[in-house]
Amino acid sequence: MKQKPDLSFWKLWNLSFGFFGVQIAYALQSANISRIFRTLGADPHSLSFFWILPPLMGILVQPIVGTLSDKTWTRFGRRIPYLFIGAAVAVAVMCLLPNAGSFGMAVGAALIFGLIALMLLDTSINMAMQPFKMLVGDMVNEKQKAKAYSIQSFLCNAGSVVGFLFPFIFTAIGLSNVAPEGVVPDSVIWSFYIGAAILILCVLYTTAKVREWPPKEYQEYNPVAEEKEDSANWFTLLKNAPSTFWKVGLVQFFCWAGMLYMWTYVVDAVSETVWGTIDPTTSDYQEAANWTGVLYAIQAMGSVLWAAMLPQFKNTKWAYAASLALGGAGFIIIPFMHDQYLQIIPFLLIGCGWAAMLAMPFTFVTNALQGYGHMGAYLGLFNGTICVPQIVAAICGGMILTLVGGHQSTMMIVAGVSFLIGSACVFVIRDKR
C-alpha cells in the first residue's frame, strides 16, 4: 500500500472549505432553534424535547451516508454527491423554518410545522457535514491528519461566527428584531436566507476544487480490507471497533450532553441573568437573544484561537482534558455574570472546550481505525457518540430543570459539571499514533 502524499495547505483547505457554509447553517440552527420555538409558544419545561430531533436525525443519517458513500463511485466522487444533495435540501428548508409563525397557523400547528422543518434541516445538514470528515480520512496521511482536522475546526468556527452574528448585524442595520406574538422577527428570517445562499456557494466551491481519487487509485493508498468487507453490518463493526472508539465515546457523552443544555437553555439563561426576563414577547428577551448570538460568536472566535494552539501541545490527552475543564468552568460561572459584557469571559472559556471537541476525538479515533477498513461507516457510527448523549440529555432536560427550581440559568451549572466529568474521562484513552 502506498503512503498517502503530503498535501499543500491549500489542498487541505479546499477539502474542508465547504464546512464553512455548512457550519453557518448549523450555527443558525443551534443559536436560534430555542428562540424560534419559544417565540412560537413552546413552554420552557418541554423545550428540550424539541432538541431530540437534531441528534436523532444525526444518528440515523450519518451512518447511512458513511456506509453508502463507502460503496459509491461516480464521476463526481464518492463523498461529494452526498455533500451536494444534503446542502441543496438544507438551503430549501432554511427558507421555510423561520417562517413557521408567518403562515397564520395556530400555535400547535406552527410548532408541528417547525418540528418537521427542523427534522428536515438537521437531516440535510448532517448529510452535508459527514462527507468532509470522510474526505480527510480518505485523502490525508497520518502526519497531516491533525493539521487537516485543525483547519476543519478553524473553518467550522469561522462559519459559526458568521452565523451567530447575523441576527445582531441585521438588527443593527435596521431589520426589525420584534414581531407580532408568535411570529419570528425579520432579523432572524433574513439570517436564514443569507446563510442558505452562502452555504450553496461554499459547497459549489468544494465540488469544483476537490478531486476524489477514483477506485483504483483510492485502493493504492487505503487498506484493501475496506473493499473486501462489504458484508459487515453495523453491529459487527461496533463489535470489532477498537477500544479507543468507546473510550473517546465516553468523553463525548458528557461533553455533548452539556452542549445540548447550552443550546436549549442559554438564551433564557442569559436573558434571566442579565435582563431579568424570560418572556419571549418582550423586546428585552429578543435583545438578549441577539446578544447570546454575539456570545456564541465570541465562543467560536475563542475556539479558533485555541484550535490554533492545540497542535503545539506535546501531550494530546492533557491538552484535551484541560480544554474540557476550561469549558466546564465557563459554563458554571454564566449565572454569576450579571453584566452582558462580563458574559464574554465564560463564553471564551467554553470556546476552549468546543475547539477540543471538534478536533481531538476524530484524531484519536481515525488513528485507532487504521487497518480496520470501512472508514466512512465507522465515522458515521462514531457520530452516535455525539447524537446519543444529546438525545438522553433532551429526554431528561425538563425533569432536571424542575429539579433545579425551574431556573434555566442553573442548567448552565449542570452543563459545566458534565464537562468536568468528561475532562476526567479523557485519561482512560490510549492514543494510537
Side-chain angles (χ1 to χ4, degrees), residues 153 303 306-307 310 319-321 323-324 351-361:
S153 180
S303 294
W306 194 251
L310 284 175
Y320 191 12
S323 299
L324 297 181
C352 297
W354 182 240
M357 286 173 62
L358 291 176
M360 290 191 166

Side-chain angles (χ1 to χ4, degrees), residues 291-308:
W291 185 248
T292 303
V294 174
L295 293 173
Y296 271 127
I298 289 168
Q299 171 206 319
M301 288 186 283
S303 294
V304 170
L305 297 174
W306 194 251

Side-chain angles (χ1 to χ4, degrees), residues 81-151:
Y82 295 90
L83 160 65
F84 192 82
I85 294 170
V89 175
V91 166
V93 180
M94 287 174 72
C95 296
L96 291 174
L97 175 59
N99 288 294
S102 303
F103 299 133
M105 294 181 285
V107 172
L111 288 172
I112 292 172
F113 179 89
L115 270 175
I116 294 171
L118 175 60
M119 179 182 69
L120 292 173
L121 178 60
D122 208 79
T123 299
S124 56
I125 289 176
N126 275 293
M127 189 172 181
M129 190 180 295
Q130 185 68 0
F132 291 107
K133 300 170 187 175
M134 294 185 290
L135 283 170
V136 172
D138 287 346
M139 303 180 70
V140 179
N141 61 38
E142 296 310 304
K143 183 175 66 174
Q144 291 188 303
K145 195 165 284 182
K147 182 179 180 181
Y149 280 124
S150 293
I151 291 172

Side-chain angles (χ1 to χ4, degrees), residues 17-32 129 152-169 191 195 198 202 256 259 262-263 290 292-304 351 354-355 358:
F17 181 74
F19 216 119
F20 176 79
V22 174
Q23 194 61 28
I24 289 178
Y26 190 71
L28 286 167
Q29 173 187 288
S30 60
N32 293 285
M129 190 180 295
Q152 197 167 96
S153 180
F154 170 83
L155 288 166
C156 175
N157 284 293
S160 295
V161 170
V162 175
F164 291 143
L165 286 177
F166 269 169
F168 181 84
I169 292 171
S191 296
I198 296 174
C202 289
W256 285 99
M259 290 305 300
M262 176 186 181
W263 294 327
N290 275 3
T292 303
V294 174
L295 293 173
Y296 271 127
I298 289 168
Q299 171 206 319
M301 288 186 283
S303 294
V304 170
W354 182 240
L358 291 176

Side-chain angles (χ1 to χ4, degrees), residues 121-424:
L121 178 60
D122 208 79
T123 299
S124 56
I125 289 176
N126 275 293
M127 189 172 181
M129 190 180 295
Q130 185 68 0
F132 291 107
K133 300 170 187 175
M134 294 185 290
L135 283 170
V136 172
D138 287 346
M139 303 180 70
V140 179
N141 61 38
E142 296 310 304
K143 183 175 66 174
Q144 291 188 303
K145 195 165 284 182
K147 182 179 180 181
Y149 280 124
S150 293
I151 291 172
Q152 197 167 96
S153 180
F154 170 83
L155 288 166
C156 175
N157 284 293
S160 295
V161 170
V162 175
F164 291 143
L165 286 177
F166 269 169
F168 181 84
I169 292 171
F170 289 140
T171 300
I173 64 176
L175 289 180
S176 177
N177 194 45
V178 292
E181 185 175 352
V183 177
V184 177
D186 285 345
S187 57
V188 177
I189 292 174
W190 277 94
S191 296
F192 275 79
Y193 289 168
I194 302 301
I198 296 174
L199 167 59
I200 198 64
L201 289 174
C202 289
V203 168
L204 287 172
Y205 175 90
T206 293
T207 56
K209 290 291 185 179
V210 174
R211 173 189 169 271
E212 293 189 69
W213 291 324
K216 184 176 180 180
E217 189 174 358
Y218 174 86
Q219 291 181 24
E220 291 176 356
Y221 292 111
N222 291 277
V224 295
E226 184 164 347
E227 317 308 324
K228 294 180 179 179
E229 296 176 0
D230 288 340
S231 60
N233 59 42
W234 294 344
F235 295 103
T236 302
L237 294 176
L238 288 173
K239 180 181 177 181
N240 296 328
S243 62
T244 298
F245 182 98
W246 299 106
K247 291 175 181 177
V248 176
L250 178 65
V251 178
Q252 293 272 83
F253 181 89
F254 292 104
C255 294
W256 285 99
M259 290 305 300
L260 187 281
Y261 289 140
M262 176 186 181
W263 294 327
T264 305
Y265 300 110
V266 74
V267 173
D268 280 20
V270 171
S271 186
E272 181 181 31
T273 302
V274 179
W275 276 266
T277 181
I278 55 170
D279 183 356
T281 65
T282 63
S283 59
D284 280 349
Y285 182 89
Q286 297 298 337
E287 183 182 350
N290 275 3
W291 185 248
T292 303
V294 174
L295 293 173
Y296 271 127
I298 289 168
Q299 171 206 319
M301 288 186 283
S303 294
V304 170
L305 297 174
W306 194 251
M309 295 174 62
L310 284 175
Q312 309 305 317
F313 287 89
K314 293 183 178 180
N315 190 313
T316 308
K317 284 170 59 174
W318 275 101
Y320 191 12
S323 299
L324 297 181
L326 288 171
F331 280 117
I332 289 170
I333 64 176
I334 285 176
F336 304 101
M337 299 293 178
H338 297 286
D339 181 90
Q340 68 182 91
Y341 297 103
L342 286 178
Q343 288 283 348
I344 291 173
I345 298 171
F347 278 81
L348 284 172
L349 294 175
I350 293 168
C352 297
W354 182 240
M357 286 173 62
L358 291 176
M360 290 191 166
F362 289 97
T363 301
F364 284 119
V365 170
T366 54
N367 285 344
L369 286 173
Q370 293 307 307
Y372 277 74
H374 295 285
M375 180 68 77
Y378 266 118
L379 290 183
L381 291 168
F382 184 69
N383 187 64
T385 67
I386 296 174
C387 300
V388 170
Q390 293 181 66
I391 294 170
V392 173
I395 292 171
C396 298
M399 179 183 65
I400 295 175
L401 179 60
T402 300
L403 290 175
V404 298
H407 296 291
Q408 284 92 320
S409 55
T410 309
M411 293 298 290
M412 298 301 98
I413 297 176
V414 174
V417 171
S418 188
F419 256 65
L420 294 177
I421 296 173
S423 174

